[in-house]
Amino acid sequence: MTSHEPREDKTAALLRAAALAAPGERITVDELLEPLKRRAFGFLLLLLAIPNFIPVPLGIGGVMGVLVVALGLEMLVGLEHPWVPGFLKRRTLSRDGLLRFLDRIEPMTRRLERVCKPRLQRLTRSPFTFVSGGIMILIGLLLALPIPFTNYVFGAMLIVFAFALVERDGGLLIAVWATTLAIVAASATFSHALLRFFRDLM
């Protein structure tokens, strides 16, 4: 008989509750992640997606990409909970800014939450976290590449990935895995064609 994990509050509601519980105007990453426990991987991934949707200095995609790769490596080696370095735990976010971001992506999160449900939950646990870690690394590498106008695309993929992990939705995870591999294959084909084009010009 398949064992199912108890249903919990939805992703956006949990993140909003954590933000509203902050005593001050700013909240540290550690304060956000602490009550989320075993679902911290998904929530941390969601936090890493945020800067891709707000006006930030050029090159932020590279920074976020490296952090996503690091998070993927942690899943790849089998950590059950993410290890977050001290300097990142101490980073603070504007509570109002976080709430505004949640309001901004609410149409997407509402649709995702209607679709998401605990299914194929085995895919969200070890040893399949090895696959999720590898896919996360691929997304991080794509995000880190200086490809114009792709931050929103890969940021949206991170949000979907995060929801799949938090909601224990193995079906959605399969969709993220397949989409990422398709994008990598398309990027490799395009890069090869572009390289051959420039080679022919010389």
Side-chain angles (χ1 to χ4, degrees):
M1 182 179 240
T2 303
S3 64
H4 295 281
E5 295 179 20
R7 189 69 176 131
E8 294 170 311
D9 290 338
K10 291 290 191 176
T11 306
L14 276 172
L15 195 56
R16 189 180 295 274
L20 289 172
E25 292 302 313
R26 300 191 70 82
I27 181 171
T28 67
V29 171
D30 192 39
E31 287 171 333
L32 266 181
L33 294 180
E34 196 278 330
L36 305 173
K37 299 176 182 175
R38 62 182 175 75
R39 301 205 280 178
F41 263 115
F43 278 99
L44 191 53
L45 194 59
L46 186 58
L47 291 179
L48 292 178
I50 292 175
N52 298 290
F53 294 89
I54 56 179
V56 289
L58 193 64
I60 194 65
V63 176
M64 293 300 105
V66 170
L67 293 175
V68 171
V69 168
L71 194 62
L73 285 171
E74 292 185 16
M75 289 194 79
L76 203 62
V77 300
L79 294 186
E80 292 188 7
H81 306 285
W83 175 80
V84 182
F87 78 92
L88 188 55
K89 281 185 177 181
R90 293 188 294 271
R91 290 283 296 183
T92 62
L93 301 167
S94 164
R95 184 179 62 180
D96 289 342
L98 179 58
L99 292 173
R100 282 196 302 271
F101 170 74
L102 291 175
D103 290 338
R104 182 177 176 183
I105 66 169
E106 187 176 0
M108 177 192 291
T109 59
R110 193 183 297 119
R111 284 193 291 270
L112 277 172
E113 287 177 342
R114 279 201 298 263
V115 171
C116 284
K117 60 182 179 181
R119 56 186 161 185
L120 302 176
Q121 294 182 55
R122 189 75 185 88
L123 297 179
T124 68
R125 297 189 289 263
S126 180
F128 295 99
T129 49
F130 181 85
V131 180
S132 286
I135 294 294
M136 199 180 295
I137 289 171
L138 287 177
I139 296 176
L141 290 174
L142 289 169
L143 184 61
L145 292 175
I147 308 173
F149 314 116
T150 57
N151 277 21
Y152 280 178
V153 175
F154 298 131
M157 286 183 64
L158 290 179
I159 289 176
V160 176
F161 202 165
F163 268 74
L165 291 174
V166 173
E167 301 291 339
R168 301 295 179 186
D169 190 339
L172 188 57
L173 263 186
I174 292 175
V176 173
W177 295 347
T179 301
T180 304
L181 293 176
I183 290 175
V184 170
S187 300
T189 302
F190 175 75
S191 299
H192 179 71
L194 195 62
L195 183 61
R196 188 169 57 186
F197 172 75
F198 283 113
R199 190 182 300 157
D200 291 342
L201 288 178
M202 296 175 64

